[in-house]
Amino acid sequence: MKGDRGEEVVLMLGNEAIARGAIEGDVKVATAYPGTPSTEIVETLALLSKDYDLYVEWSVNEKVAFEVALAASYCNLRSLTAMKHVGLNVASDPLFTSAYTGVRGGFVIVSADDPSCYSSQNEQDNRIYGLHAYIPVVEPSSPQEAKDMTIYSLEVSERYGLPVILRTVTRLSHSRGPVKLGPIRRSSKKAVFERKPEKYVCLPANARRMRLEAIERLNAVEKEFNNSSFNVVLEGESKVGVIACGLAYTHVVDALDELNLSHRPSILKLSTVHPIPKELLANFLEDKEKVLVVEELEPLVELQVKALCHDLKLKAEVHGKDLIPLAGELTPLRVLRGLASFLGVSVELPELKVKLQAPPRPPILCAGCPHRNAFYAIKMAVKKAKVEAIYPSDIGCYTLGYYPPFELVDTTICMGAGVGLACGFAKFTDKVVIATVGESTFYHACIPALINAVFNPSSFVLVVLDNNFTAMTGGQPSPATGVNAMGQQVKKVLPEDIAKACGVELCKVVDPYDVDSMIASIVEAIEHVKRGLGPAVIISRRACSLTLLREERLGRIKLEKKMVEADKCKGCMTCIKLVGCPALIPRAGKVVIDENICTGCGLCERSCPYKAIGVLRS
């Protein structure tokens, strides 16, 4: 990644290529909240921040990340903010209004969409945000284009004074490909904010004018996109055409090669999907009898092409989602089937015969994960308190509490919804409500809901699972970590201090490895909320087990690992049924412990009715 030698070709992830584009494009400020599949963009830039005089931050949520980067653009610095698709929902408030104010320094919003929901709660198509918000959208088809179009987006943004959305998808973000590096040009530009209240204050009188200006800017960009070098026409040998957007273009090329046609259709590789370049499209469609639009998820381009054909009275028959799946990620096979059907070509697909089916392997909490101890304690506490409970939860590793043996996640909607839903469940049902959130999610979107629970009295238990960083996305620092994205030591912002400042009267910090204490604290919290005394917050604090194992490998700590005494084990499997730790392995009718991943949390030792589990003595 480092180095300013042009012409060198290196293998890069799509996300790394975007980071490289930001460096080559003179981005001065990069912000994000971690979220798969976008995380590696700012993670890479954080590593390079000192080499290229770049300010990088993991912001407390996507809205704040957007606003920090937007402020930099207002000060005439080039900036980038990156987020997964649902993160743009969080940032949608400033997104819409930023199109009204416009920007000064080039400002790129990377939206990493997740078709097929590989690590997300939905698979929304964020290109539609551009249509709704009057913001241009571009779609690269390869890591090389991801880099080049990051630079192009910065230039378009700065030239026309508006933000630009660079839309990627999981397959591109996490695929590697050859990337030809370009020269790194780092300017010495300093931030200068020019006071222009009529430009940046969206009072109704200003906003009405600004909306017209936003429309004018978008119309100007359409002319630019009509001549963009990223839109390419490959002339075919028939009056049949294919319009392929973003990564779908590569699938179309592969599918046409597979079909080995006598008359290849013409292809329009469309990389600028909003505003749609009408002149370019009209020229492409003019002599076509029929056209297939291949795009991932929603028919954004297809609908615009149909409207254009209607307006210009073009005769092309337009197909799209009638042949290309609306839901799920596009794959070469899915595109091949749709394309073959469109072209009226029969294709014999290889029949895959699977003799053995691998058993399903749902994701589970890691061995020694402190969240497992916390969920176990919640389950035991509810049993001890003899109550029925509802369990709203949130987005993170702890969502895995949904699976057996715990099954303590009843709802997962979006970041922060666990506490907001708890406010409602506690008001409208007679059951005890126990919400679980990670500490990073707590900072992200739970604090307003907790204030709401005090302001509009609502009594529920909130267990904040604090493992010292944002674990699920790879261990980025959170405000509880004490260090930021650029490695600076900073003051810790602790959940218990925030909870107390919000007015929560019962707030305790507990080590989940001390299971008895954890159970007692949750029982106390349940009694508190049963008396209607407002929310009770339990902070379950213990470092992520992956951190513990890494520290052990580096010789910084010594873990007291566990083992099963074979002569005492009766093979009842109680430990597996109650704890579900992946370090517990059934073997020859008994259980053994994988010492390579055991962290010695002791939960299995506690659960064994025959006292067959003890400390490993090496």
Side-chain angles (χ1 to χ4, degrees):
M1 178 63 74
K2 288 170 65 175
D4 58 0
R5 292 173 296 171
E7 306 296 314
E8 187 180 358
V9 177
V10 298
L11 202 60
M12 281 187 177
L13 277 181
N15 280 347
E16 292 171 340
I18 292 170
R20 173 71 189 197
I23 296 290
E24 291 184 14
D26 197 25
V27 159
K28 298 290 188 185
V29 174
T31 64
Y33 180 81
T36 307
S38 68
T39 307
E40 295 85 358
I41 299 168
V42 161
E43 204 164 54
T44 304
L45 290 172
L47 292 172
L48 300 171
S49 59
K50 290 176 183 169
D51 297 309
Y52 295 111
D53 188 24
L54 177 69
Y55 174 77
V56 180
E57 73 170 41
W58 290 117
S59 307
V60 76
N61 65 27
E62 292 86 353
K63 180 175 182 288
V64 176
F66 190 104
E67 290 160 348
V68 171
L70 180 62
S73 174
Y74 285 168
C75 294
N76 206 26
L77 299 180
R78 287 189 170 186
S79 61
L80 174 148
T81 187
M83 54 201 73
K84 67 181 296 173
H85 60 300
V86 289
L88 198 53
N89 300 338
V90 180
S92 60
D93 237 351
L95 172 82
F96 277 77
T97 308
S98 68
Y100 278 39
T101 63
V103 301
R104 286 181 68 204
F107 179 36
V108 172
I109 306 149
V110 181
S111 171
D113 294 3
D114 187 20
S116 286
C117 309
Y118 288 114
S119 58
S120 310
Q121 64 268 43
N122 67 33
E123 59 172 8
Q124 67 194 44
D125 185 339
N126 277 3
R127 299 178 305 168
I128 294 174
Y129 265 120
L131 194 68
H132 196 181
Y134 294 92
I135 291 176
V137 183
V138 300
E139 269 197 283
S141 64
S142 65
Q144 178 70 58
E145 279 199 346
K147 179 188 80 78
D148 295 340
M149 293 189 80
T150 300
I151 302 167
Y152 178 65
S153 301
L154 288 163
E155 291 169 349
V156 168
S157 171
E158 199 161 278
R159 192 178 308 140
Y160 297 95
L162 76 182
V164 174
I165 295 175
L166 182 111
R167 186 244 196 170
T168 70
V169 291
T170 305
R171 191 65 54 181
L172 175 58
S173 290
H174 289 168
S175 292
R176 290 188 185 277
V179 176
K180 184 177 180 181
L181 305 184
I184 291 176
R185 299 187 181 93
R186 305 297 293 171
S187 71
S188 56
K189 191 185 286 185
K190 301 297 180 189
V192 177
F193 179 70
E194 297 175 0
R195 294 194 68 217
K196 290 184 178 177
E198 72 282 3
K199 178 174 174 61
Y200 298 122
V201 180
C202 290
L203 286 166
N206 289 337
R208 286 189 283 270
R209 169 182 48 79
M210 290 172 171
R211 178 174 163 81
L212 298 175
E213 292 170 356
I215 294 168
E216 285 178 12
R217 284 194 287 266
L218 201 64
N219 289 337
V221 172
E222 183 189 328
K223 292 176 184 172
E224 160 85 30
F225 283 177
N226 274 312
N227 299 301
S228 171
S229 61
F230 291 100
N231 298 324
V232 179
V233 175
L234 304 173
E235 296 292 351
E237 302 154 342
S238 67
K239 293 186 176 181
V240 175
V242 177
I243 300 172
C245 310
L247 188 67
Y249 167 73
T250 61
H251 295 326
V252 166
V253 172
D254 288 346
L256 289 174
D257 287 345
E258 186 72 26
L259 292 172
N260 193 25
L261 300 168
S262 57
H263 293 86
R264 291 180 71 92
S266 298
I267 302 175
L268 169 56
K269 173 182 170 294
L270 188 64
S271 300
T272 64
V273 296
H274 177 69
I276 202 88
K278 294 189 186 73
E279 187 180 325
L280 173 68
L281 274 167
N283 290 336
F284 181 77
L285 294 166
E286 192 174 23
D287 64 342
K288 300 296 182 294
E289 294 177 350
K290 65 176 186 176
V291 168
L292 174 67
V293 180
V294 184
E295 56 190 325
E296 200 142 33
L297 297 182
E298 302 297 330
L300 176 78
V301 171
E302 177 190 341
L303 294 177
Q304 294 185 83
V305 170
K306 284 177 175 173
L308 189 66
C309 287
H310 177 270
D311 291 347
L312 300 180
K313 296 183 171 47
L314 299 174
K315 294 180 180 177
E317 179 183 310
V318 180
H319 294 267
K321 290 302 168 185
D322 54 337
L323 299 174
I324 302 295
L326 178 64
E329 181 184 35
L330 289 187
T331 63
L333 193 57
R334 297 180 100 190
V335 172
L336 177 61
R337 284 183 179 137
L339 199 55
S341 176
F342 170 70
L343 297 171
V345 177
S346 62
V347 55
E348 291 185 12
L349 300 175
E351 187 178 348
L352 299 176
K353 292 182 179 179
V354 180
K355 292 181 179 177
L356 294 175
Q357 194 71 38
R361 296 182 61 193
I364 57 173
L365 296 166
C366 300
C369 175
H371 299 347
R372 175 177 284 101
N373 295 52
F375 279 123
Y376 178 86
I378 292 170
K379 201 160 193 171
M380 293 300 111
V382 167
K383 190 175 179 182
K384 191 171 182 179
K386 298 179 180 176
V387 294
E388 287 187 48
I390 300 173
Y391 305 100
S393 191
D394 238 297
I395 313 288
C397 298
Y398 47 91
T399 314
L400 302 177
Y402 166 84
Y403 292 104
F406 302 115
E407 299 176 284
L408 296 178
V409 174
D410 287 333
T411 65
T412 301
I413 304 299
C414 65
M415 295 288 281
V419 185
L421 287 173
C423 290
F425 285 134
K427 277 187 177 296
F428 308 128
T429 73
D430 58 359
K431 294 185 178 179
V432 169
V433 178
I434 303 177
T436 47
V437 302
E439 95 281 355
S440 188
T441 309
F442 177 77
Y443 302 117
H444 180 286
C446 293
I447 297 169
L450 187 59
I451 294 171
N452 187 71
V454 176
F455 176 52
N456 296 297
S458 189
S459 297
F460 57 86
V461 180
L462 170 60
V463 182
V464 180
L465 301 157
D466 180 357
N467 60 7
N468 199 41
F469 54 42
T470 313
M472 184 165 250
T473 48
Q476 294 76 29
S478 79
T481 310
V483 63
N484 63 19
M486 297 196 295
Q488 297 168 322
Q489 296 293 320
V490 294
K491 184 177 180 178
K492 290 184 178 182
V493 182
L494 298 173
E496 59 268 32
D497 294 339
I498 294 173
K500 290 172 186 172
C502 290
V504 173
E505 294 182 357
L506 176 56
C507 181
K508 288 195 167 187
V509 181
V510 190
D511 181 353
Y513 277 16
D514 183 351
V515 178
D516 288 333
S517 179
M518 187 85 188
I519 293 172
S521 296
I522 295 171
V523 169
E524 182 185 355
I526 289 173
E527 293 303 321
H528 178 87
V529 302
K530 279 173 67 181
R531 294 199 296 273
L533 300 177
V537 175
I538 305 296
I539 315 294
S540 171
R541 179 166 293 144
R542 165 67 70 155
C544 172
S545 57
L546 297 179
T547 303
L548 295 177
L549 291 171
R550 185 170 61 244
E551 292 293 297
E552 187 195 38
R553 283 196 295 272
L554 294 171
R556 294 173 181 160
I557 61 171
K558 178 70 176 175
L559 297 174
E560 196 175 66
K561 303 196 175 196
K562 305 297 179 183
M563 65 166 288
V564 178
E565 294 181 45
D567 56 335
K568 292 183 180 178
C569 178
K570 305 298 182 187
C572 65
M573 306 294 165
T574 300
C575 54
I576 291 177
K577 292 172 185 172
L578 285 181
V579 176
C581 177
L584 299 168
I585 303 170
R587 182 173 296 166
K590 298 193 176 185
V591 175
V592 296
I593 294 177
D594 183 348
E595 64 178 277
N596 294 310
I597 58 175
C598 175
T599 62
C601 74
L603 191 59
C604 56
E605 183 178 8
R606 176 192 174 86
S607 70
C608 179
Y610 300 102
K611 309 297 180 190
I613 300 177
V615 177
L616 173 66
R617 305 292 179 192
S618 58

